[in-house]
Amino acid sequence: MVRKRFLVEGTVQGVGFRPFVRRLATRHRLSGWVVNRAGEVEIEVEGHPSAVALFEKHLRNDAPPLALISRLDIQDRDTVGESVFNILPSVRGELRGLPVPPDMATCEACVKELFDPKDRRYRYPFINCTDCGPRFTIVREFPYDRDKTSMASFQMCAECRNEYENPDNRRYHAQPNACPVCGPQAALRHEGAVIAVRDDAMKLAAAALSDGSIVAIKGLGGYHLACDAGNEEAVARLRVRKAREEKPFAVMARDLSVISAICSVSAMERAALLGSGRPIVLLQRAKDRLALSVAPTNRFLGVMLPYTPLHHLLLADFEGRALVMTSGNIGEHPIAYEDEHAIQSLRKIADLVLTHDRPIETRCDDSIVRVTGGRTSIIRRSRGFVPHSIPLPFELAEPILGCGAHLKNVFCLCEGNEAFLSHHIGDLETLESRRSYVEGIDHFKQLLRVEPACLAHDMHPDYPSTQYALEQAGVETIAVQHHHAHIASVVAEHDLKGPVLGVAFDGTGYGTDGTIWGGEFLLADLCGFKRVAHLELLVLPGGEQAIREPWRIAAWCLSEVYGDSFQNMDLPLIRGMDSSRWRTLKAMARRGFQTPRTSSVGRLFDAVSSIVTGRTTVRYEGQAAIELEMLADPCESGHYRFDLRDESKLSWGPMIRRVVEDLLGGVPAAAVAARFHSGLSVAIMEVCERIRRDGGPSQVALSGGVFQNALLLKRATELLRDRGYCVWFNERVPANDGGIAYGQVAVAGATMRSKVCA
Ligand code: ZN
Ligand code: ZN
Ligand code: FE
């Protein structure tokens, strides 16, 4: 006989962990006990050594779906000789902040009950259990108990209460436990007035969708706008009403067979779709059975499976088809989640609003992932993933808050060796998103009971996130360069040792010299970096407006290479360009007025895309670059050379010349687009080779929003690996600015540690 003590840390309370431990111990005929103790679960088991070993294995591998073990400490104990295994009453010690579980997709057992006419929750859209249902989005404050959630106003009926209190029931301590008698109810609104409730509301909403209506649907973290994805007229109407002309819509399909009929799905993509976070997965489109307007000009489609019982019910009536499910927001505003506001603002777009009376406490967008290079990488990390932590490569002496960047903002509160990345806050452009930024930080501090001793922020003086950091009195602040943070996010995520050569390509980031960077080769570790090479500068004629009108950058590049004569060339861009507008801009540029310079590769993509496709303006960030990627012919093998004669500069002039020659010579645009991608990949490889010859590392980290370009990432990775480099990129944190906060904390933490050591 042996006895062992297990101390388990992580998301282990309120997730059915103790009943799981008891079942496990009983199955292996072990005696002992389990207890919740101030943020940890403590277990002692006694029995045959092989049974104890099996217990440990299952404890690690088979924990309940919502549990996340961040640390497991095991010690030997003297045997006691008791005969049974018990769950002991919780010990309330000094309360430590506890991570709440993320929201979880409806589990199989609940789906089964949902469609079982004999079950008391038959067709009840709020069915959930210990393994599934809303969590993070309904929590008001710490500690995670029903009365601290938006379920507080619903009194459990006797039957629900029994389930909740019985450790053998699969709804034991499921905080949002509810049934049709005692729980939330659905309601369907038209022009603001309720026209149906409960199951009638569900049935009417499903019928209206089938009939081509647009319905706003309240989900876990906000409202969606939905319509039949196979109905061209309905999708086009949604585009007009939402004033969203081109950005692709995500769709939700009932099951994998429906998805397989639209897209090709690999084993890894299948696993991503079925993952407990139920993210949107970007899939290659196969047969086009959807309306053209769902995702015009895009080879990929964002697809997800239903993740709430309400979705399951709606899609059950939607045989073989898919629903457009796009976030319910207007223009640049964040997704609507507060009922009053959502009903008022979305009724202008939706014919009907399907809502319910369980409030959403925290806005939480759908997460987005994609499989590239044999890895699943996250693009937007929010609903279903937050607030699970991501490890840091070291233990922090004091808690740090990473304030994030400006676009796609995510902040990151860290304690010990755990980084808690926030939900997607979004672009800090509107007052509304700035408010949810500050409220979000307060919410996380309260939930985790952590007060940061240090704030890590971007170097850009005008970012609202920087201003937030500098306004907090009495707290140390550390400014972290944007692209260093990108590279640090890869280094920290993969716990890379020694220096790396970081390739940070993105749209924009404030450099140490006060200019805008975005095409950077950094020799870096967590403590610091040296800028060893970068893209030759481009000019943004007229400033920020050039980002929305990429023709301006394209025209400037062409005039640099060809002088004024470029305006006589037979290129698609010239045909669509306003030449008098260009003359004004050029005159301004000559006088140095409104002509910021940038080394941004994102802007180079904009310029080349504009030359190749003739697109003059964009409607969403990154649109021109995405179109160039989608246009590229994957079978094309040629590439355009960049000029590397200057040691530290990647010159684009020769490349632009080749693009123009090919277009004028009648080479198809798809081949030109592919040659540009390959040329840039070759340039990355050649710069890495040059730096390695001078003693640089064989470890390369690729990060920044540009590396969401799957073609560029694939080509660059292949070329580098062929030459013996270890290539790393982001997987669990986004490569775009959603990963900046994590990188900021890694840099600030390492800086503080090195100070202590020195
Ligand atoms: Zn369930
Ligand atoms: Zn009930
Ligand atoms: Fe960036």
Side-chain angles (χ1 to χ4, degrees), residues 226-366:
C227 72
D228 180 353
N231 183 332
E232 175 63 42
E233 190 273 326
V235 181
R237 186 154 27 92
L238 176 56
R239 285 214 177 269
V240 172
R241 289 200 201 159
K242 208 186 168 196
R244 173 155 147 166
E245 281 145 273
E246 284 153 289
K247 198 170 177 177
F249 286 145
V251 302
M252 182 182 274
R254 186 170 79 168
D255 51 37
L256 284 166
S257 71
V258 178
I259 296 178
S260 306
I262 314 167
C263 298
S264 60
V265 188
S266 70
M268 280 187 81
E269 288 164 340
R270 193 187 144 91
L273 282 163
L274 289 167
S276 54
R278 285 291 158 97
I280 294 172
V281 183
L282 298 183
L283 298 173
Q284 187 108 35
R285 295 165 81 158
K287 297 164 222 101
D288 250 318
R289 297 182 16 171
L290 298 183
L292 208 66
S293 332
V294 171
T297 75
N298 209 304
R299 288 187 199 190
F300 292 87
L301 190 66
V303 186
M304 62 184 145
L305 287 166
Y307 55 85
T308 71
L310 191 142
H311 296 149
H312 280 283
L313 289 170
L314 286 177
L315 282 150
D317 297 337
F318 224 68
E319 195 76 36
R321 283 181 290 167
L323 284 178
V324 162
M325 281 290 234
T326 184
S327 27
N329 61 339
I330 295 180
E332 301 300 308
H333 291 278
I335 179 171
Y337 75 108
E338 290 155 314
D339 295 316
E340 196 72 20
H341 171 247
I343 292 163
Q344 282 316 313
S345 60
L346 297 180
R347 59 187 273 197
K348 298 178 197 101
I349 301 176
D351 304 304
L352 295 164
V353 181
L354 180 61
T355 178
H356 60 75
D357 53 358
R358 185 185 68 208
I360 297 170
E361 287 300 322
T362 302
R363 171 193 289 128
C364 209
D365 292 75
D366 290 319

Side-chain angles (χ1 to χ4, degrees), residues 457-479:
H457 61 85
D458 198 274
M459 276 186 173
H460 200 303
D462 301 332
Y463 281 178
S465 54
T466 303
Q467 283 159 1
Y468 171 87
L470 300 178
E471 278 162 13
Q472 309 306 306
V475 186
E476 186 183 352
T477 56
I478 294 180

Side-chain angles (χ1 to χ4, degrees), residues 679-702:
L680 189 57
S681 311
V682 169
I684 291 173
M685 181 271 288
E686 288 179 349
V687 173
C688 291
E689 286 282 81
R690 173 175 293 176
I691 293 165
R692 187 162 64 172
R693 251 179 267 133
D694 295 341
S698 289
Q699 236 179 172
V700 178
L702 307 174

Side-chain angles (χ1 to χ4, degrees), residues 53 72 113 159 191 193 387 714:
L72 184 59
E113 288 182 11
E159 258 181 287
E191 311 258 301
K714 182 169 175 281

Side-chain angles (χ1 to χ4, degrees), residues 414-483:
C414 306
E415 189 194 27
N417 68 340
E418 287 185 280
F420 295 92
L421 273 76
S422 77
H423 48 298
H424 170 80
I425 304 286
D427 303 349
L428 298 179
E429 296 270 317
T430 61
L431 274 178
E432 201 183 348
S433 59
R434 289 179 206 181
R435 195 194 62 185
S436 64
Y437 175 70
V438 176
E439 286 174 358
I441 292 174
D442 289 341
H443 188 52
F444 266 63
K445 286 201 283 196
Q446 208 276 341
L447 282 185
L448 297 166
R449 302 222 137 178
V450 167
E451 216 23 80
C454 169
L455 303 182
H457 61 85
D458 198 274
M459 276 186 173
H460 200 303
D462 301 332
Y463 281 178
S465 54
T466 303
Q467 283 159 1
Y468 171 87
L470 300 178
E471 278 162 13
Q472 309 306 306
V475 186
E476 186 183 352
T477 56
I478 294 180
V480 180
Q481 200 279 324
H482 188 93
H483 303 95

Side-chain angles (χ1 to χ4, degrees), residues 478-540:
I478 294 180
V480 180
Q481 200 279 324
H482 188 93
H483 303 95
H484 186 208
H486 271 309
I487 300 307
S489 74
V490 181
V491 172
E493 183 184 343
H494 298 290
D495 196 5
L496 304 181
K497 307 291 184 213
V500 300
L501 181 58
V503 185
F505 285 2
D506 65 358
T508 184
Y510 199 79
T512 49
D513 56 3
T515 67
I516 310 164
W517 292 6
E520 311 307 314
F521 293 82
L522 310 178
L523 203 53
D525 60 17
L526 290 181
C527 287
F529 72 95
K530 188 174 164 228
R531 189 191 198 197
V532 285
H534 61 85
L535 183 73
E536 180 191 3
L537 299 184
L538 297 161
V539 160
L540 308 183

Side-chain angles (χ1 to χ4, degrees), residues 14-16 65-66 104-111 113 121 126-135 144 163 169-178 309:
V15 293
L66 283 172
M104 275 316 180
T106 312
C107 72
E108 267 175 53
C110 285
V111 172
E113 288 182 11
R121 291 189 179 87
F126 306 96
I127 186 170
N128 66 81
C129 71
T130 309
D131 291 345
C132 78
R135 297 290 188 275
Y144 174 54
E163 296 167 337
N169 192 283
R170 63 182 204 86
R171 296 199 162 84
Y172 175 63
H173 280 192
Q175 304 302 349
N177 188 27

